[in-house]
Amino acid sequence: MNPDLIDHEFEKTSPYLVGREKVREFSRAVFASNPVHLSVEAARNAGYPDLVAPPTFAIVVQQLTLDQLFAVEDAGIELTHVVHGSQQFGYSRPIVAGDELTAQLRVTSIKTLGGNAMVTAETAVHDIDGEHVVTATSTLVVRGDA
Amino acid sequence: MTAAHEDLGLSPAGSEDHGADPHAGLEIVHEYEVGDIVAEATYPLTRESLVRYAGASGDFNAIHYRDDIAAEVGLPGVLAHGMLTMGLAIQPVVDWLGDPALVADYQVRFTRPVVVDPVAGAEITVEAKIAQLDEEAGTARVDLTVSVEGATVLGKAQVRVTLP
């Protein structure tokens, strides 16, 4: 595990357009039953411009930045050795179909525990107006070679 | 009307314009107490659920659908995606709140893998309980107990919400 990752500057991802059917598909996959996730009419009646994505949909956008992390040369992260330790989302507002979202990653902490490393990856997600939507933080445990 | 709604600039259900001074003479009293169970639900997971989540999320790690690969890396079986468990565990809370915009923060630790048997599947139960209340701010911390066969699978599963 390369400790220099903490200083690595990751580029903003290119805009991710949140599709209405993607929101429906994700909603069904996480057993979301609130009608604002499935019915455009219900979402609009509740004051939203379109379908509302479930709270953990932000992981789809965060994943694009984690892929950047895994792709860093000399990162020392073997994907098959990565375990998801914890996850957090801090919301300014829900993600809505039609949003164009960009995400930027920061590695905020790297700790070594025995042969394992614990990486905290914080991804800030903004909309096309530059307004904050959600910050997604993952702690990944990278198992050392046994 | 809640602070969260105002921050959003959105007008979700229940925030209709009541005139110049919507709070005049109105005292908001929440009927909740610490320890109240506000939502409960049970989710039967099958291998189909895992394939569906893989497609929806783009997480195609083979340990979530192939027994041989799960065995090869030393796992007790094919596992549910941690993010699937996290994703479904908040649904009873969203249903209770009635509006996903009232969720301010959601965190979990993945403490125990959920093995999904090819025939029997797995059943995840969720219980959401109020752990902290701030009456003045109208906010609460809701703790989730998420378990399979009586064993909890998520640790420190906490949702910070604006009360409905």
Side-chain angles (χ1 to χ4, degrees):
Chain A
M1 184 78 230
N2 184 348
D4 294 341
L5 276 173
I6 210 145
D7 299 319
H8 194 95
E9 296 230 1
F10 290 92
E11 286 196 14
K12 269 188 190 164
T13 56
S14 51
Y16 177 96
L17 174 60
V18 179
R20 182 186 282 171
E21 299 309 331
K22 192 70 195 176
V23 170
R24 278 207 181 97
E25 184 190 1
F26 190 90
S27 299
R28 292 194 179 107
V30 296
F31 300 82
S33 47
N34 191 303
V36 298
H37 299 306
L38 302 163
S39 154
V40 177
E41 195 187 356
R44 290 200 173 136
N45 287 340
Y48 293 99
D50 210 306
L51 291 187
V52 182
T56 59
F57 183 80
I59 195 72
V60 174
V61 185
Q62 190 190 15
Q63 188 61 49
L64 304 173
T65 64
L66 295 178
D67 291 344
Q68 290 177 321
L69 173 65
F70 300 143
V72 172
E73 246 179 272
D74 307 325
I77 303 176
E78 186 67 51
L79 200 52
T80 52
H81 291 193
V82 175
V83 177
H84 202 173
S86 67
Q87 181 69 35
Q88 179 175 22
F89 300 101
Y91 305 95
S92 288
R93 67 165 175 88
I95 293 172
V96 176
D99 271 335
E100 282 189 60
L101 304 172
T102 55
Q104 191 162 26
L105 173 73
R106 276 194 323 141
V107 172
T108 55
S109 140
I110 298 175
K111 289 177 196 155
T112 314
L113 293 163
N116 300 335
M118 220 162 77
V119 189
T120 306
E122 188 186 286
T123 302
V125 178
H126 290 82
D127 65 19
I128 202 165
D129 300 319
E131 298 291 330
H132 179 260
V133 177
V134 55
T135 295
T137 307
S138 299
T139 304
L140 307 173
V141 181
V142 184
R143 289 181 291 154
D145 287 325
Chain B
M1 176 76 79
T2 65
H5 291 155
E6 287 162 2
D7 291 346
L8 278 165
L10 298 169
S11 310
S15 65
E16 301 87 4
D17 188 6
H18 295 296
D21 187 1
H23 297 299
L26 180 69
E27 193 185 345
I28 296 168
V29 179
H30 295 293
E31 66 272 39
Y32 303 108
E33 282 178 37
V34 170
D36 283 355
I37 294 170
V38 290
E40 281 178 290
T42 299
Y43 299 96
L45 287 189
T46 62
R47 289 288 173 87
E48 188 204 326
S49 319
L50 307 193
V51 173
R52 187 183 289 268
Y53 185 78
S57 68
D59 182 344
F60 291 103
N61 189 329
I63 62 163
H64 303 303
Y65 55 89
R66 277 187 55 177
D67 294 272
D68 59 327
I69 289 180
E72 206 171 281
V73 297
L75 295 170
V78 161
L79 306 183
H81 306 73
M83 286 306 304
L84 169 56
T85 305
M86 184 182 189
L88 63 81
I90 197 173
Q91 294 312 321
V93 177
V94 172
D95 286 342
W96 161 59
L97 295 171
D99 182 355
L102 300 179
V103 176
D105 189 284
Y106 179 30
Q107 64 170 290
V108 309
R109 287 187 188 155
F110 302 102
T111 51
R112 186 192 296 265
V114 175
V115 177
V116 180
D117 183 85
V119 179
E123 196 169 76
I124 299 187
T125 62
V126 182
E127 184 187 271
K129 189 185 280 187
I130 294 191
Q132 277 178 8
L133 265 182
D134 184 337
E135 284 286 352
E136 210 154 296
T139 58
R141 196 189 87 206
V142 177
D143 287 2
L144 308 179
T145 304
V146 182
S147 42
V148 174
E149 289 175 4
T152 57
V153 296
L154 297 181
K156 210 187 166 196
Q158 301 178 346
V159 194
R160 287 198 303 106
V161 305
T162 300
L163 290 168

CSV table of all heavy atoms in Angstrom, one decimal, chain A residues 14 16 24 26 41 43 60 67-68 77 79 91 97 99 110-111 113 121 138-140 146:
chain,number,residue,atom,x,y,z
A,14,SER,N,-15.8,12.8,-15.3
A,14,SER,CA,-16.7,13.5,-16.3
A,14,SER,C,-18.2,13.3,-15.8
A,14,SER,O,-18.5,12.4,-15.1
A,14,SER,CB,-16.5,12.9,-17.7
A,14,SER,OG,-16.5,11.5,-17.7
A,16,TYR,N,-21.8,12.4,-14.8
A,16,TYR,CA,-22.6,11.2,-14.8
A,16,TYR,C,-24.1,11.7,-14.9
A,16,TYR,O,-24.5,12.4,-14.0
A,16,TYR,CB,-22.4,10.4,-13.6
A,16,TYR,CG,-23.3,9.1,-13.5
A,16,TYR,CD1,-22.8,7.9,-13.9
A,16,TYR,CD2,-24.6,9.2,-13.0
A,16,TYR,CE1,-23.6,6.8,-13.8
A,16,TYR,CE2,-25.4,8.1,-12.9
A,16,TYR,CZ,-24.9,6.9,-13.3
A,16,TYR,OH,-25.7,5.8,-13.3
A,24,ARG,N,-35.0,3.7,-11.4
A,24,ARG,CA,-36.1,2.6,-11.1
A,24,ARG,C,-35.4,1.3,-10.9
A,24,ARG,O,-35.7,0.6,-10.0
A,24,ARG,CB,-37.0,2.5,-12.4
A,24,ARG,CG,-38.1,3.5,-12.4
A,24,ARG,CD,-39.3,2.9,-13.2
A,24,ARG,NE,-40.3,4.0,-13.2
A,24,ARG,CZ,-40.5,4.8,-14.3
A,24,ARG,NH1,-39.8,4.7,-15.4
A,24,ARG,NH2,-41.4,5.7,-14.2
A,26,PHE,N,-32.3,0.6,-9.9
A,26,PHE,CA,-31.6,0.6,-8.6
A,26,PHE,C,-32.6,0.5,-7.4
A,26,PHE,O,-32.4,-0.2,-6.5
A,26,PHE,CB,-30.7,1.9,-8.5
A,26,PHE,CG,-29.8,1.8,-7.3
A,26,PHE,CD1,-28.5,1.3,-7.4
A,26,PHE,CD2,-30.2,2.3,-6.0
A,26,PHE,CE1,-27.6,1.2,-6.3
A,26,PHE,CE2,-29.3,2.2,-4.9
A,26,PHE,CZ,-28.0,1.7,-5.1
A,41,GLU,N,-45.0,10.7,-11.4
A,41,GLU,CA,-46.1,11.5,-11.0
A,41,GLU,C,-46.0,11.7,-9.4
A,41,GLU,O,-46.2,12.8,-8.9
A,41,GLU,CB,-47.4,10.8,-11.3
A,41,GLU,CG,-48.6,11.7,-11.2
A,41,GLU,CD,-50.0,10.9,-11.4
A,41,GLU,OE1,-49.9,9.7,-11.7
A,41,GLU,OE2,-51.0,11.6,-11.2
A,43,ALA,N,-43.3,11.5,-7.6
A,43,ALA,CA,-42.2,12.4,-7.3
A,43,ALA,C,-42.5,13.8,-7.6
A,43,ALA,O,-42.2,14.7,-6.8
A,43,ALA,CB,-41.0,12.0,-8.2
A,60,VAL,N,-23.0,4.5,-6.8
A,60,VAL,CA,-22.7,4.3,-8.3
A,60,VAL,C,-21.8,5.4,-8.8
A,60,VAL,O,-20.9,5.1,-9.6
A,60,VAL,CB,-24.1,4.3,-9.0
A,60,VAL,CG1,-23.8,4.3,-10.5
A,60,VAL,CG2,-25.0,3.2,-8.6
A,67,ASP,N,-12.6,3.5,-8.9
A,67,ASP,CA,-11.9,2.9,-10.0
A,67,ASP,C,-10.6,3.7,-10.3
A,67,ASP,O,-9.6,3.1,-10.7
A,67,ASP,CB,-12.8,2.8,-11.2
A,67,ASP,CG,-14.0,1.9,-11.0
A,67,ASP,OD1,-13.9,1.0,-10.1
A,67,ASP,OD2,-15.0,1.9,-11.8
A,68,GLN,N,-10.7,5.0,-10.2
A,68,GLN,CA,-9.5,5.8,-10.4
A,68,GLN,C,-8.4,5.5,-9.4
A,68,GLN,O,-7.2,5.3,-9.7
A,68,GLN,CB,-9.8,7.3,-10.2
A,68,GLN,CG,-10.7,8.0,-11.3
A,68,GLN,CD,-11.0,9.4,-10.9
A,68,GLN,OE1,-11.2,9.8,-9.7
A,68,GLN,NE2,-11.0,10.3,-11.9
A,77,ILE,N,-2.7,-1.7,-4.5
A,77,ILE,CA,-4.0,-2.2,-4.1
A,77,ILE,C,-4.4,-3.3,-5.1
A,77,ILE,O,-4.6,-3.1,-6.3
A,77,ILE,CB,-5.1,-1.1,-4.1
A,77,ILE,CG1,-4.7,0.0,-3.2
A,77,ILE,CG2,-6.5,-1.7,-3.7
A,77,ILE,CD1,-5.7,1.2,-3.2
A,79,LEU,N,-7.2,-5.7,-6.2
A,79,LEU,CA,-8.7,-5.6,-6.0
A,79,LEU,C,-9.3,-6.8,-5.3
A,79,LEU,O,-10.2,-6.7,-4.5
A,79,LEU,CB,-9.3,-5.5,-7.4
A,79,LEU,CG,-10.7,-4.9,-7.4
A,79,LEU,CD1,-10.8,-3.6,-6.7
A,79,LEU,CD2,-11.2,-4.7,-8.9
A,91,TYR,N,-25.6,14.0,3.1
A,91,TYR,CA,-26.4,14.5,2.0
A,91,TYR,C,-26.6,16.0,2.2
A,91,TYR,O,-27.0,16.5,3.3
A,91,TYR,CB,-27.7,13.8,2.0
A,91,TYR,CG,-27.6,12.3,1.9
A,91,TYR,CD1,-27.7,11.5,3.0
A,91,TYR,CD2,-27.4,11.7,0.6
A,91,TYR,CE1,-27.6,10.1,2.9
A,91,TYR,CE2,-27.3,10.3,0.5
A,91,TYR,CZ,-27.4,9.5,1.7
A,91,TYR,OH,-27.3,8.2,1.6
A,97,ALA,N,-33.3,12.0,-10.9
A,97,ALA,CA,-33.1,11.7,-12.3
A,97,ALA,C,-33.0,13.0,-13.1
A,97,ALA,O,-33.7,13.9,-12.8
A,97,ALA,CB,-34.3,10.8,-12.8
A,99,ASP,N,-30.1,14.7,-13.0
A,99,ASP,CA,-28.9,15.3,-12.4
A,99,ASP,C,-27.7,14.9,-13.2
A,99,ASP,O,-27.6,13.8,-13.7
A,99,ASP,CB,-28.7,14.8,-11.0
A,99,ASP,CG,-29.4,15.6,-9.9
A,99,ASP,OD1,-29.7,16.8,-10.2
A,99,ASP,OD2,-29.6,15.1,-8.8
A,110,ILE,N,-4.6,6.8,5.5
A,110,ILE,CA,-4.1,5.4,5.3
A,110,ILE,C,-3.4,4.9,6.6
A,110,ILE,O,-2.5,5.6,7.1
A,110,ILE,CB,-3.0,5.4,4.2
A,110,ILE,CG1,-3.6,5.9,2.8
A,110,ILE,CG2,-2.4,4.0,4.0
A,110,ILE,CD1,-2.6,6.0,1.7
A,111,LYS,N,-4.0,3.8,7.1
A,111,LYS,CA,-3.4,3.3,8.3
A,111,LYS,C,-3.0,1.8,8.1
A,111,LYS,O,-3.7,1.1,7.3
A,111,LYS,CB,-4.5,3.3,9.4
A,111,LYS,CG,-4.8,4.6,10.0
A,111,LYS,CD,-5.9,4.5,11.0
A,111,LYS,CE,-6.5,5.9,11.3
A,111,LYS,NZ,-7.9,5.7,11.8
A,113,LEU,N,-2.3,-1.8,9.7
A,113,LEU,CA,-2.6,-2.6,10.9
A,113,LEU,C,-2.1,-4.1,10.6
A,113,LEU,O,-2.7,-4.8,9.8
A,113,LEU,CB,-4.1,-2.7,11.1
A,113,LEU,CG,-4.8,-1.4,11.5
A,113,LEU,CD1,-6.3,-1.6,11.3
A,113,LEU,CD2,-4.6,-1.1,13.0
A,121,ALA,N,-11.4,6.7,1.7
A,121,ALA,CA,-11.6,7.4,0.4
A,121,ALA,C,-12.8,8.3,0.5
A,121,ALA,O,-13.9,7.7,0.7
A,121,ALA,CB,-11.7,6.4,-0.7
A,138,SER,N,-15.8,5.9,2.0
A,138,SER,CA,-15.6,4.5,2.1
A,138,SER,C,-14.3,4.2,2.9
A,138,SER,O,-13.3,4.9,2.6
A,138,SER,CB,-15.4,3.8,0.7
A,138,SER,OG,-16.5,4.0,-0.1
A,139,THR,N,-14.4,3.3,3.8
A,139,THR,CA,-13.2,2.7,4.3
A,139,THR,C,-12.9,1.3,3.8
A,139,THR,O,-13.8,0.5,3.8
A,139,THR,CB,-13.3,2.6,5.9
A,139,THR,OG1,-13.6,3.9,6.3
A,139,THR,CG2,-12.0,2.2,6.5
A,140,LEU,N,-11.8,1.2,3.1
A,140,LEU,CA,-11.5,-0.1,2.5
A,140,LEU,C,-10.3,-0.7,3.2
A,140,LEU,O,-9.3,-0.1,3.6
A,140,LEU,CB,-11.1,0.2,1.0
A,140,LEU,CG,-12.0,1.0,0.2
A,140,LEU,CD1,-11.4,1.3,-1.2
A,140,LEU,CD2,-13.4,0.2,0.0
A,146,ALA,N,-0.7,-13.1,2.4
A,146,ALA,CA,-0.6,-14.0,3.6
A,146,ALA,C,0.7,-14.8,3.3
A,146,ALA,O,1.2,-14.9,2.2
A,146,ALA,CB,-1.8,-14.9,3.6
